[in-house]
Amino acid sequence: MRRGIVWVQGMLIFVAVGLVVAFFASGMLAPGRQASRTPSAEPSVQSPPAVGDQKPGVPAVPVSEHETWPHEPVENPDRQLDVKASNPSVQLPAALGDDLTPYWQQSLNWQPCGSALCATMKVPLDWDNPGKAALDIKVTKAPSENPTKGPLFVNPGGPGIEGGTFATNLGSDKWKGYDIIAWDPRGSGESTHVQCGTTEQTDKAYFADGTPDDEAEKTALNDVWAAFARECREASGELLDHISTIENVRDLDLLRFLTGAEKLNYLGVSYGTFIGAMYAELFPERTGHLVLDSAMDITNEGEVSQAEGFELALGLYADWCAGEGSCSLGNSRDEVISRINSFLHGLDAKPLKVGDRQVTQGQGANGIALFLYSGKEAYPGLTQLLDSAMNGDGRVILKASDLLSGRAENGWETVAYAFPAIRCVDQPDAGVAATEEARKKVAEKAPVFGGNMGSELVCERWTANSAPNLKLTGKGAAPILVVGATGDSATPYQQAVTMAKQLESGHLLTYDGPGHGSVTSGNACVDETVTAYFEDGTLPEDGKTCS
């Protein structure tokens, strides 16, 4: 599903129908909390430490020797692996040398960028063939006034979300003694990033009917995503073959080394938990304090779909709305959900016009989903959005859908291209026909979101193969704190339970509440527990729940 694990950045504010709707999505900033101001950021050159016995970015156990999940009988059967780029617009920087030594010997030139410091790190396009080409990786640091603990690396999720905003919003006063460092993963943000087609071409794909009712609509859905994949290959070329989380984690280990950190201290949210789990698998001996919040499914089972998470979150909203006594959508949970579902189904045949654009069934579900990334503070705004849309004014719901998808007024943000590029090489697929069958099963369990968001065929028609599907256990890693919210919409709580269980050193902290992103939710109990862990590695007692 396209909306996968997108981390909604910062406080999203927009004006529509004469009303300012302000809400916080996925906890990037807790309600009422402002972004921290960092200390004065002065330019500096950070020379690399001596390599010694370690080889930064090179796992002690080669990637090919790690256990993988069993292969399906047929994987990626409908991908367009014969498509090549004739003249890609993405120009890859020249390699630093024929081996990894020049990458280990580079300095980081920190320069002021707003209230933070920024630098560019070079990494090899292909870690196993470093002389081929390089990539530029944008790095952002919110410096501490007294960095006694060194760097704390952070990733806000996505995949494909730039990291700088998260670092500066957290600020260096969140966890005393740490410089907060984020990077734009390869393919995203201001790093060497994925490019695809024009705004018009991308609109055709992302706004296609994901709930086809007949063979003609199925063919149209297939064709539009196949075209999108070819457009990405033509623009991005070989970059698409080297954008996996395995390679991103190797970049992260190089960044750890260049910043002088002996161990990796890390906070990853949503997709960022996959990065953290992958790091623990490939570099267990280099793990420090890892917090993985709002976990992705790493079991290869997919027992709970993301649509079910949104369905659960919608039920919590419906309970709240019906309990208000003045809910315009109904007097009971079932009435509220039924009316929302009927409204979305109606958009399939008759989209809501907004100027020269329209709100389709999938966009409508997407717009509602944005508000469910947060907690109760977003519920009044969601009610206003639904009231407006059901009365024929689709401006608010369209804006919400655009914000979640990455569409700006002047085109598409890089995340709209980085997201599928990373996701599609991180996991194999079973093909177009299997996706249609899976969509029907999900719709039975999650009628509103499974039945209205529909499915995309971007990975099924992608032009790059998938990377090895590693079984992540983190054997030998330091203790890892996994945090999950019972009412998480985008990454259902069960995924945190299974991640903590599968990681050999995993420990679970439960937040009994709604929203995507517990560590940044503002909950005092979660704050105290995570701070204690980052301070000295103190883990919560087994089964601890914060409410």
Side-chain angles (χ1 to χ4, degrees):
M1 187 176 293
R2 158 68 182 92
R3 289 88 197 169
I5 321 289
V6 173
W7 178 274
V8 185
Q9 300 181 63
M11 182 175 68
L12 305 176
I13 303 176
F14 54 93
V15 180
V17 275
L19 183 32
V20 177
V21 182
F23 56 94
F24 293 79
S26 58
M28 177 68 75
L29 289 178
R33 177 171 161 232
Q34 298 299 314
S36 302
R37 297 183 64 183
T38 57
S40 177
E42 298 294 335
S44 64
V45 176
Q46 186 168 9
S47 300
V51 175
D53 293 332
Q54 66 174 312
K55 295 181 178 180
V58 181
V61 177
V63 173
S64 61
E65 296 180 18
H66 285 255
E67 183 181 0
T68 60
W69 292 104
H71 287 275
E72 297 295 331
V74 179
E75 290 186 346
N76 310 328
D78 298 319
R79 296 200 184 193
Q80 305 173 95
L81 301 182
D82 58 340
V83 175
K84 306 299 180 185
S86 58
N87 185 28
S89 52
V90 174
Q91 298 297 306
L92 301 177
L96 296 187
D98 292 332
D99 61 18
L100 293 173
T101 304
Y103 295 95
W104 298 337
Q105 294 177 339
Q106 65 183 302
S107 297
L108 295 178
N109 184 13
W110 294 105
Q111 295 293 325
C113 53
S115 60
L117 290 167
C118 294
T120 299
M121 175 179 69
K122 297 282 187 180
V123 301
L125 169 71
D126 182 348
W127 274 93
D128 297 322
N129 186 6
K132 196 170 194 177
L135 299 175
D136 289 330
I137 302 297
K138 165 75 174 300
V139 184
T140 303
K141 176 168 66 175
S144 170
E145 291 180 348
N146 185 27
T148 56
K149 297 182 180 298
L152 173 64
F153 300 90
V154 299
N155 181 276
I161 296 290
E162 59 87 21
T165 302
F166 191 39
T168 54
N169 280 346
L170 282 173
S172 59
D173 64 348
K174 176 69 174 174
W175 294 289
K176 300 294 185 182
Y178 285 106
D179 288 332
I180 306 298
I181 296 182
W183 76 107
D184 294 359
R186 54 171 62 207
S188 69
E190 294 184 44
S191 295
T192 305
H193 58 263
V194 175
Q195 298 176 26
C196 292
T198 64
T199 297
E200 291 74 18
Q201 289 170 327
T202 306
D203 283 351
K204 288 180 181 179
Y206 277 110
F207 302 150
D209 186 350
T211 57
D213 301 311
D214 53 39
E215 290 303 316
E217 290 186 353
K218 290 179 183 179
T219 299
L221 184 65
N222 189 338
D223 290 349
V224 75
W225 282 112
F228 174 81
R230 293 193 298 271
E231 290 152 9
C232 295
R233 172 61 68 175
E234 180 59 38
S236 299
E238 196 173 6
L239 176 62
L240 296 185
D241 302 313
H242 296 283
I243 205 168
S244 69
T245 298
I246 291 173
E247 292 158 304
N248 180 25
V249 160
R250 299 181 73 171
D251 298 345
L252 174 58
D253 190 60
L254 176 61
L255 179 59
R256 172 203 58 79
F257 167 76
L258 294 177
T259 55
E262 181 179 351
K263 302 287 186 179
L264 183 86
N265 295 317
Y266 175 79
L267 167 65
V269 187
S270 199
Y271 162 75
T273 65
F274 187 55
I275 294 174
M278 183 70 74
Y279 189 92
E281 176 67 22
L282 297 183
F283 301 100
E285 72 284 0
R286 300 176 190 172
T287 54
H289 300 150
L290 271 61
V291 174
L292 310 183
D293 177 21
S294 303
M296 281 183 61
D297 177 31
I298 62 168
T299 66
N300 210 43
E301 299 293 334
E303 293 179 358
V304 182
S305 69
Q306 191 207 45
E308 291 174 78
F310 280 117
E311 204 83 9
L312 171 65
L314 184 66
L316 296 176
Y317 161 74
D319 286 338
W320 171 87
C321 191
E324 285 292 285
S326 59
C327 179
S328 59
L329 303 174
N331 297 317
S332 69
R333 173 194 181 105
D334 289 345
E335 284 184 18
V336 172
I337 292 176
S338 177
R339 188 166 182 208
I340 292 172
N341 196 27
S342 295
F343 164 69
L344 291 174
H345 275 302
L347 295 177
D348 188 27
K350 189 177 180 181
L352 193 59
K353 292 190 176 300
V354 181
D356 60 354
R357 297 182 61 197
Q358 60 183 16
V359 180
T360 64
Q361 182 181 16
Q363 287 169 282
N366 206 33
I368 294 169
L370 178 66
F371 283 76
L372 298 177
Y373 274 80
S374 192
K376 289 184 179 179
E377 67 274 9
Y379 289 173
L382 178 54
T383 301
Q384 293 167 338
L385 173 148
L386 289 166
D387 280 342
S388 297
M390 291 178 181
N391 286 311
D393 190 335
R395 287 177 291 173
V396 181
I397 198 169
L398 178 62
K399 184 64 175 179
S401 177
D402 284 351
L403 285 167
L404 187 55
S405 298
R407 193 189 193 280
E409 291 186 6
N410 59 347
W412 288 86
E413 305 286 352
T414 57
V415 65
Y417 305 131
F419 184 101
I422 297 170
R423 183 167 67 93
C424 294
V425 296
D426 270 349
Q427 61 189 37
D429 69 82
V432 173
T435 298
E436 173 64 16
E437 290 304 310
R439 181 180 72 83
K440 292 177 181 177
K441 292 180 180 178
V442 171
E444 292 175 359
K445 296 181 179 180
V448 178
F449 286 98
N452 291 290
M453 265 189 174
S455 58
E456 299 168 340
L457 300 177
V458 58
C459 291
E460 290 76 7
R461 305 312 318 274
W462 201 237
T463 64
N465 223 330
S466 52
N469 190 14
L470 303 187
K471 182 178 182 180
L472 308 182
T473 62
K475 183 178 181 180
I480 299 170
L481 181 59
V482 180
V483 187
T486 57
D488 194 324
S489 55
T491 52
Y493 172 69
Q494 184 61 30
Q495 296 177 180
V497 175
T498 54
M499 177 178 279
K501 183 177 181 180
Q502 184 170 303
L503 294 174
E504 291 191 3
S505 60
H507 294 258
L508 179 66
L509 171 65
T510 297
Y511 168 52
D512 187 14
H516 182 56
S518 303
V519 172
T520 51
S521 68
N523 180 270
C525 171
V526 173
D527 280 349
E528 291 169 4
T529 306
V530 171
T531 297
Y533 175 72
F534 277 140
E535 283 290 328
D536 56 17
T538 300
L539 289 164
E541 63 271 19
D542 288 342
K544 180 173 181 177
T545 297
C546 294
S547 59

